[in-house]
Amino acid sequence: MDALGVRGGARLGDDCALLQPAPGTQLAISSDMLVQGRHFLSTVDPAALGHKALAVNLSDLAACGAKPLAFTLALALPNADDAWLAPFSRGLLALADEHGCQLIGGDTTRGPLNICITVFGEVPVLNGKSQALLRSGAQVGDDIYVSGNLGDARLALEVFRGAVSVPAELFAQARLRMEQPTPRVALGMALRGIATAAIDVSDGLLGDLGHVLKASRVGATIRTEITINLIATYADYTRAAGQFDAFLSEKQRLNCVLAGGDDYELVFTAPASAQAAVLAASAQANVRVTRIGQIDAAPGIRLLDAQGQLQPDDYDSFDHFG
Amino acid sequence: MDALGVRGGARLGDDCALLQPAPGTQLAISSDMLVQGRHFLSTVDPAALGHKALAVNLSDLAACGAKPLAFTLALALPNADDAWLAPFSRGLLALADEHGCQLIGGDTTRGPLNICITVFGEVPVLNGKSQALLRSGAQVGDDIYVSGNLGDARLALEVFRGAVSVPAELFAQARLRMEQPTPRVALGMALRGIATAAIDVSDGLLGDLGHVLKASRVGATIRTEITINLIATYADYTRAAGQFDAFLSEKQRLNCVLAGGDDYELVFTAPASAQAAVLAASAQANVRVTRIGQIDAAPGIRLLDAQGQLQPDDYDSFDHFG
């Protein structure tokens, strides 16, 4: 990465930032806009919000297998409030530093709170072929994997909404997942050349997997008895007490996992022959991955329970525009 | 420009857009966020707003001498309103097409109206040296030039605010300048290797020239008898009637020109020896340029009238955050 004006920072005050990807690489670019009441609650800690605003963008880079380089930040604020801006910047820049991702420019204005980040990552091009992970490469017979855990962010949201009530300790864990997601950048990079397709789970597993299936013109079968345990903080908490149904029904847990959204995990596909390579990538990135099903030819998603019985898919996808 | 996934558009549906600058070039990147009531009025025609949202970003590329390549659009809308979105997109994409600048990705969400565009342009690197126009290169003795006209956008704003009243024909011309500015992309590219420093006039001539002076550690002297005529639609209209003071006082006209903002013209510097080259660039880009003053060593900006008398600088800069 020869980033004129980026490493040196000399060009930050100019009309444009200047960025030069290394020879043999291309830039992966993604933009996300966060609006209060839709992507975060007014009660959120500004430092956590700063983290999340960048995390959701880094998650898009992770889904492409791109190495983070830099980002721009455009920010509308109701008023120039240092008591808000200081912790927001601290949370934002801490995550940026962790990933070596430099703030190279942006815009601030007065207006209803709105955070728009555009992030830039680097992807190798080998023999003229981009190594970016795409949505369109899933093949019939591929295994489907998910990184980390799913559903905890939705659990926290449902508690905020007053729809469910859980012990404070469990809520605190789930809230951390909602407010400070961990973008799976190292895993995405480790999966280059291994995964056939990938996407990050921002709107819910079924919806986002659906985008992969559509782009790849395939379908999928998912095992619900495996996926239900991906709501990890809940499972951990209730397993200790042996009370899985204490606060959420099985249906509610599955709804959180399958349609929860805001997880920022990766869902990806790989051929069975690549299983060892997937596990090696998982170990290298220090992120657990779980095999939740398989790609098949028939369009759509089929949910199978532990007995192999087809389950109705009546899970609502979590849509930020809906 | 070998833009994988851009020319073909194949990667538009993925988590990231993929962009590969041509060998020997670097990317110029700029982000601007537009908020209703601050950057545009609620009465604006959506097609004009689509034009303006991209124009202000292209203007940043112009100020760097970059060739437009692509942009991302993040959009928050109070509701999914096709009657608004269709003309907005039409205005946006018409200007994009005019500059060969392709929409490569973005985000839409529900929220108070907010438009955030990040634009990408290409700048040559010759013998390891970026050809981007910067703010920091102005030298003592350089001439200071402005492209096109200044102050008409501010005139329109003052009419909207009810502060002044002008004939409908004059207002219509000024309003067009405010709502559909013309980014000086061709001029910026033609000035590469000629101008020593450049910036676009978004917040007002004095304020933006001030950024150049600060970055270059120099000062400037400006001739007010030349700059006052840059408010072109007004000058044209009143010249015909021989009534320059009919609607605006001299002070008001100067205020529009010097501190108006929203002009999206270029102010740039060049040595006296480059005057012929500047005029050739102006002719090539088909944009008039006016020499308004000179760079000198003493910090700050001095305003001189036709008699060479120093004028007080009590012009307010138009600050989008103020």
Side-chain angles (χ1 to χ4, degrees):
Chain A
M1 175 65 200
D2 174 17
L4 295 180
V6 173
R7 280 208 177 135
R11 307 291 159 73
L12 274 178
D14 267 284
D15 293 272
C16 294
L18 300 172
L19 197 66
Q20 191 166 359
T25 69
Q26 60 184 181
L27 277 186
I29 300 169
S30 181
S31 268
D32 273 298
M33 180 174 266
L34 272 67
V35 173
Q36 183 168 305
R38 182 148 294 268
H39 301 94
F40 56 91
L41 303 171
S42 60
T43 52
V44 71
D45 167 37
L49 182 59
H51 172 103
K52 183 164 180 174
L54 183 59
V56 304
N57 279 280
L58 291 175
S59 183
D60 285 319
L61 292 187
C64 289
K67 177 174 175 251
L69 291 178
F71 69 106
T72 59
L73 166 69
L75 186 62
L77 283 176
N79 43 54
D81 177 1
D82 266 354
W84 187 92
L85 205 52
F88 174 82
S89 301
R90 199 170 56 238
L92 178 81
L93 296 177
L95 185 65
D97 286 349
E98 196 182 308
H99 290 277
C101 191
Q102 192 173 347
L103 177 62
I104 56 168
D107 193 14
T108 53
T109 186
R110 194 171 292 183
L113 185 55
N114 186 305
I115 305 159
C116 183
I117 286 179
T118 304
V119 75
F120 309 98
E122 203 172 51
V123 180
V125 178
L126 294 180
N127 304 319
K129 192 176 176 321
S130 170
Q131 299 300 296
L133 303 176
L134 301 175
R135 297 179 180 180
S136 53
Q139 303 288 326
V140 173
D142 279 356
D143 292 320
I144 303 170
Y145 297 88
V146 167
S147 68
N149 309 122
L150 293 176
D152 298 290
R154 180 59 172 264
L155 171 60
L157 182 65
E158 294 301 334
V159 174
F160 269 115
R161 283 175 172 167
V164 294
S165 178
V166 300
E169 193 185 328
L170 172 54
F171 174 54
Q173 291 172 31
R175 183 178 180 173
L176 198 66
R177 289 279 301 162
M178 177 177 85
E179 294 186 347
Q180 301 204 56
T182 304
R184 301 305 187 186
V185 170
L187 180 64
M189 289 169 64
L191 287 171
R192 291 195 303 232
I194 298 169
T196 50
I199 193 170
D200 72 320
V201 182
S202 53
D203 295 335
L205 174 63
L206 294 182
D208 290 317
L209 176 60
H211 295 311
V212 167
L213 301 180
K214 196 173 169 193
S216 301
R217 302 182 183 196
V218 292
T221 301
I222 300 294
R223 304 300 299 244
T224 57
E225 91 274 18
I226 299 172
T227 52
I228 196 170
N229 291 316
L230 289 173
I231 179 163
T233 60
Y234 185 86
D236 290 348
Y237 191 88
T238 54
R239 187 180 297 117
Q243 292 182 305
F244 288 104
D245 286 341
F247 312 108
L248 297 180
S249 70
E250 189 167 314
K251 184 79 186 175
Q252 285 175 314
R253 276 182 284 154
L254 265 176
N255 197 68
C256 284
V257 172
L258 296 175
D262 251 5
D263 300 297
Y264 302 102
E265 296 291 351
L266 297 183
V267 53
F268 61 95
T269 59
S273 61
Q275 196 180 340
V278 167
L279 294 179
S282 161
Q284 186 191 327
N286 198 25
V287 183
R288 195 184 63 173
V289 301
T290 305
R291 191 151 55 102
I292 59 166
Q294 212 161 30
I295 296 293
D296 35 42
I301 299 178
R302 286 151 294 283
L303 302 174
L304 293 191
D305 67 12
Q307 288 72 45
Q309 296 295 306
L310 199 62
Q311 299 299 302
D313 173 8
D314 51 3
Y315 301 93
D316 298 323
S317 190
F318 180 79
D319 181 355
H320 289 302
F321 208 90
Chain B
M1 175 65 199
D2 175 20
L4 294 180
V6 172
R7 281 210 175 131
R11 308 289 160 74
L12 273 179
D14 267 283
D15 294 271
C16 293
L18 299 173
L19 196 66
Q20 191 167 359
T25 70
Q26 59 184 181
L27 277 185
I29 301 169
S30 182
S31 268
D32 273 298
M33 180 174 266
L34 271 67
V35 174
Q36 184 168 304
R38 182 148 293 268
H39 301 94
F40 57 90
L41 303 171
S42 60
T43 52
V44 70
D45 167 38
L49 183 58
H51 172 103
K52 182 164 179 173
L54 184 59
V56 303
N57 280 280
L58 291 175
S59 183
D60 284 320
L61 292 187
C64 289
K67 178 173 176 250
L69 291 177
F71 69 106
T72 59
L73 166 69
L75 187 62
L77 284 175
N79 43 56
D81 176 2
D82 266 353
W84 187 92
L85 206 51
F88 174 82
S89 301
R90 199 169 58 240
L92 179 80
L93 296 177
L95 184 65
D97 285 350
E98 196 181 306
H99 290 278
C101 190
Q102 193 173 347
L103 178 61
I104 56 168
D107 194 16
T108 53
T109 185
R110 194 171 291 180
L113 185 55
N114 185 306
I115 306 159
C116 183
I117 287 181
T118 303
V119 74
F120 309 98
E122 203 171 52
V123 180
V125 178
L126 293 180
N127 304 320
K129 191 177 176 323
S130 170
Q131 299 299 295
L133 303 176
L134 301 177
R135 297 179 180 180
S136 52
Q139 303 288 327
V140 173
D142 280 357
D143 291 320
I144 303 169
Y145 297 88
V146 167
S147 68
N149 309 122
L150 293 176
D152 299 291
R154 179 59 174 265
L155 171 60
L157 183 63
E158 294 302 333
V159 174
F160 269 115
R161 283 176 173 169
V164 294
S165 178
V166 300
E169 193 185 327
L170 173 53
F171 175 54
Q173 291 172 30
R175 182 177 180 172
L176 199 65
R177 289 280 300 164
M178 177 178 83
E179 293 185 348
Q180 300 206 56
T182 304
R184 301 304 186 188
V185 170
L187 180 63
M189 289 168 64
L191 287 172
R192 290 195 302 233
I194 298 170
T196 48
I199 193 171
D200 71 322
V201 183
S202 54
D203 295 335
L205 175 62
L206 294 183
D208 289 318
L209 176 59
H211 295 312
V212 168
L213 301 181
K214 196 174 169 192
S216 302
R217 302 182 183 195
V218 292
T221 301
I222 301 294
R223 303 301 300 242
T224 57
E225 91 274 17
I226 300 173
T227 51
I228 195 169
N229 291 316
L230 289 173
I231 180 163
T233 60
Y234 185 86
D236 290 349
Y237 190 88
T238 54
R239 186 180 297 119
Q243 292 182 307
F244 287 106
D245 286 340
F247 313 108
L248 296 181
S249 68
E250 189 169 313
K251 185 79 185 176
Q252 286 176 315
R253 277 182 283 154
L254 265 177
N255 198 68
C256 285
V257 172
L258 296 176
D262 251 5
D263 301 296
Y264 302 102
E265 296 292 352
L266 297 184
V267 53
F268 60 95
T269 58
S273 60
Q275 195 179 341
V278 167
L279 295 178
S282 162
Q284 185 191 328
N286 198 26
V287 183
R288 195 184 61 173
V289 301
T290 305
R291 191 151 54 103
I292 59 166
Q294 211 162 28
I295 296 293
D296 34 41
I301 300 178
R302 284 152 294 283
L303 302 175
L304 292 190
D305 67 12
Q307 287 72 45
Q309 295 295 307
L310 198 62
Q311 298 298 302
D313 173 8
D314 51 0
Y315 301 93
D316 299 323
S317 190
F318 181 79
D319 180 355
H320 288 304
F321 208 90

